[in-house]
Amino acid sequence: MVSTSSHQGESPSSPPSSSRPPPPSSSFSEDWRRRILIPTILAGVAGGGVGLVSKHRKVHGLANISASYAANFAIVTGCYCGAREYVRATRKTGPDDLLNSAIAGFGTGAILGRLQGGRYGAYRYSLIFAVVGSAADFAALKLKPKLRNLSESMFDKNSSSLKLPEWSPIQVLDEEALAAKRAREEKLYAQRTLGKEES
């Protein structure tokens, strides 16, 4: 005879509460925003910019062609970034793996190319998306440290305000430099007022 005793509220087949997976962390939502949403929005803005200088703007109207380019760029980028994140989660690799980019580009290009141009469009678009997506991600990986250094050099670490370059004629002075400047100004003022009194 098998004992069927169980704890209150738990069925015999349910796993103990300690083996349940933890709830998803907030880093997933931050990662999602950074790796899918922001590139999609930026691509939409870039597409709108391309629409502004398109040769078709006179025929279709500036607003229509800009909106069309913005929507197309955003759709393509959103599909690619979503596929890249799906491949990354499926393969359980890091976000810097370029094979994820190639697989996602191939799949996204095949689907969107099939919708746009049939079987041959799927072949062509899948190769183009795989190459362009991998090249863009490779360039982003190489530029990330340089952009981080640039942003660190532009912002003051203590006050998180914009730091002006050393060659700029406008400078934010610390207390010591401010006191020296005041002393120079008072000395100049005293010399000028003394010169006016003598004449």
Side-chain angles (χ1 to χ4, degrees), residues 5-199:
S5 66
S6 64
H7 295 51
Q8 282 184 332
E10 285 188 14
S11 64
S13 63
S14 70
S17 61
S18 63
S19 68
R20 290 184 188 148
S25 66
S26 65
S27 67
F28 174 75
S29 63
E30 292 169 8
D31 193 43
W32 179 83
R33 272 187 246 127
R34 185 177 58 86
R35 301 206 26 100
I36 298 174
L37 186 63
I38 292 173
T40 302
I41 291 171
L42 291 176
V45 170
V50 169
L52 289 174
V53 297
S54 171
K55 66 180 180 180
H56 304 291
R57 68 181 184 270
K58 292 180 182 173
V59 176
H60 298 289
L62 183 63
N64 289 338
I65 201 71
S66 291
S68 176
Y69 272 93
N72 286 334
F73 275 47
I75 288 169
V76 167
T77 304
C79 289
Y80 170 74
C81 290
R84 184 184 60 204
E85 289 303 303
Y86 176 75
V87 170
R88 181 181 70 85
T90 304
R91 293 184 63 228
K92 295 181 177 38
T93 59
D96 299 340
D97 188 4
L98 291 177
L99 187 58
N100 295 342
S101 302
I103 294 169
F106 189 79
T108 303
I111 291 170
L112 294 177
R114 177 74 177 175
L115 293 173
Q116 183 72 21
R119 177 182 289 166
Y120 295 111
Y123 296 142
R124 187 175 58 225
Y125 279 66
S126 63
L127 290 175
I128 291 170
F129 276 48
V131 169
V132 170
S134 298
D137 285 343
F138 178 76
L141 286 174
K142 293 297 181 186
L143 289 175
K144 192 182 295 185
K146 292 179 179 25
L147 291 175
R148 187 175 297 125
N149 291 340
L150 179 68
S151 68
E152 287 174 359
S153 68
M154 288 177 57
F155 292 99
D156 189 15
K157 294 176 184 170
N158 299 332
S159 64
S160 71
S161 62
L162 188 63
K163 185 171 74 173
L164 297 170
E166 293 179 12
W167 51 264
S168 174
I170 302 171
Q171 291 293 323
V172 178
L173 303 176
D174 59 352
E175 295 297 324
E176 187 177 310
L178 192 58
K181 180 184 175 203
R182 283 188 188 134
R184 282 193 315 269
E185 288 174 348
E186 288 174 1
K187 183 179 176 184
L188 284 172
Y189 180 72
Q191 288 175 352
R192 287 184 182 162
T193 55
L194 184 64
K196 287 182 181 178
E197 290 175 0
E198 290 176 358
S199 50

